[in-house]
Amino acid sequence: MAKHLTPGRIVLYAALLLMAIYYLLPLYVMLSTSVKTLDDIRGGNLIALPQSITLDAWSKAWSSACTGVECGGMKGFFWNSVKMAVPSVLISTLIGAVNGYVVSMWRFRGSDVLFTLLLVGCFIPFQVVLLPMARLLGELGIANTTSGLILVHVIYGLAFTTLFFRNFFVTIPDELVKAARIDGAGFWTIFLRILLPISGPIFMVCVIWQFTQIWNDFLFGVVFAAGESQPITVALNNLVNTSTGVKEYNVDMAAAIIAALPTLFVYMVAGRYFVRGLTAGAVKG
Amino acid sequence: MAALSINNVCKTYANGTDVLKGIDIAIEDGQFLILVGPSGCGKSTLLNMIAGLDDISSGDIEIGGKRVNDLSPKDRDIAMVFQSYALYPSMSVRKNISFGLEIRKMPQGEIDATVERVAQMLQMTHLLDRKPSQLSGGQRQRVAMGRALARNPSIFLFDEPLSNLDAKLRVEMRTEIKLMHQRLKSTIVYVTHDQIEAMTLGDRIAVMKDGIVQQFGSPQDIYDNPANLFVASFIGSPSMNFIPAQVVESAGVLGVKICDDQGCVILPLPHAQDKMKPWLGREVIFGIRPEQITDARTAYREGLPVMACHIDVIEPTGPDTLVFVSLNNTKVCCRTHPTEAKLPGHSMELVFDVSKAVLFDPTTEQRIA
Ligand SMILES: Nc1ncnc2c1ncn2[C@@H]1O[C@H](COP(=O)(O)OP(=O)(O)O)[C@@H](O)[C@H]1O
Ligand SMILES: [Mg+2]
């Protein structure tokens, strides 16, 4: 097809450009505001370029901004979130992989029912589980701890990760597993040596999905974690709502970007696998 | 000693479908058994049960005289080649072949020697370090065979191994499999829906339909003496002609009455007199293969019944020309010599070799004579 700039194309590109600006503008405002001085913010308008660039707001947001009574910045909470998200993502993805393997390759009596129940798990609203979960965490003695939060996220994520892996594994011909069984491979050998090595794309999907969900979660964080163990989303909320005289928009913006960076990073590193993993079957031919 | 014996094996799936209804098959060591039948008749199910991949609902399977019903696939001393080849996608060809040997804890030196030997036998030494995705269909097929050969099992199981290949390659591989069988004298169970594969490869053929073995015998026996209408129509290409015809008596000999738009002849069937007697005056299905209706030059035998028939269509295939005529209002295919065939619209003298003709009961579709 010839790539002439027909009027239709010009309109199309213009529309796309407009939409891109529409979506990028908030990011720009956040970035530019975060490097402005407070005077600059008060004097200029929202989308004006910064007069001079300073990283003071960033360092304050990271290490000395007040989140409620504490004034240690986002630092501690950032690591809280890392300590919560990384194990939650890995554990829920690994268990989901095994679950998906079982419900797709080793169908047993009732495995369809089990899978349907798991699917229902995807649709349970967060609010519904709050009280029972609080009670359970209390009984287990891990209320208000990072471990407790990890447990909640793992359980909640299992429905999704199982679904992802199951849908991936059903595209793999049964004959592959049959061949391995005849070769003498057992349950774990088949999983570890034959299926996992070809599960890269769906692994990426799960990791991205789970990481985004867990890192961005606010409700579970605010309910099941207190004080020292709160995740960064809760801390961000506290930081923005803690007023000590003047409103420091530049610090707020820097803190918000810090809170969003890890998910952005995950998308940049693994994003191209996302669509590929969702659409691709595992084996050709 | 029977290498494989299948005794009254049934399979009912959890949803209640009866897939296999009492299968009885036994083969000797070194025989090439074909399971053939239309798609969905239960061939793969039976093969999976021989392999131990699927449970038997009732009955027994014995391999080398040992009952294997409760043995897992890895303990049955079998190897299997699948239609999709089922090569392990993440492993190189070498690894694909050695995987089963490693799991069986064969010493590394022996594994290397085995892989080398198999690769040489199948002329794929140069492919050993490739991944399955870098192979053509025919090469994948070879690797799948190599994987089975490396294991040196007492029975090879093949599930439609050639049906994903193009026509030319399929014929080549067919010959190779046959050569391999002759060389290794291995016992093979081979599933196919292709009757030509069945005829060319098998020592013994089990023709299946609806979970029942319709006939079990040597290829020639099944071709010449089909047990029922289904077997007769399934084996042979072009298919046997089935002409509804009345049993009549002429000069003290029973025969069938065959008419076209110009007149009738009676084809006497001296080889089937006794069995035809109860059917005198009634309608039967007269089965005759295309090569048994031919031109006078090809027939080369005197004294056979002849009929002048009006030709509807001809199909030259090269070695012979198929001539289609209408007998008893049924389209009938005749195989003639290319130079003897007349053009459509003309009349042609056709010779009926009835010595191998068969008769079926029109209601039960079972063989009468
Ligand atoms: N797990 C199953 N549950 C229920 N029915 C099945 C199952 N597997 C196969 N079948 C049915 O068994 C019949 C025979 O299947 P199969 O042995 O694969 O046929 P073939 O290999 O001869 O084409 C088919 O009708 C199929 O639908
Ligand atoms: Mg099949």
Side-chain angles (χ1 to χ4, degrees), chain B residues 237-287:
Chain B
S237 171
S239 164
M240 183 186 270
N241 297 300
F242 301 107
I243 311 170
Q246 201 184 19
V247 176
V248 293
E249 186 169 356
S250 151
V253 181
L254 296 177
V256 287
K257 188 173 168 189
I258 301 292
C259 304
D260 73 350
D261 46 11
Q262 288 150 35
C264 296
V265 296
I266 289 169
L267 303 177
L269 301 173
H271 65 286
Q273 293 297 301
D274 288 347
K275 288 175 180 155
M276 283 171 84
K277 240 172 229 149
W279 291 84
L280 182 59
R282 290 159 67 191
E283 185 147 296
V284 296
I285 291 175
F286 173 63

Side-chain angles (χ1 to χ4, degrees), chain A residues 77 80-81 84 126 130 137 143-146 148-150 152-153 213-235 237-238:
Chain A
F77 303 103
N80 275 352
S81 269
M84 166 195 75
F126 277 22
L130 286 183
L137 293 181
N144 294 336
T145 64
T146 303
L149 210 48
I150 291 174
V152 175
H153 282 301
Q213 294 292 311
I214 294 171
W215 185 272
N216 289 339
D217 165 70
F218 179 76
L219 186 60
F220 285 161
V222 88
V223 175
F224 298 129
E228 288 292 275
S229 66
Q230 279 173 341
I232 195 165
T233 44
V234 177
N237 178 64
N238 294 345

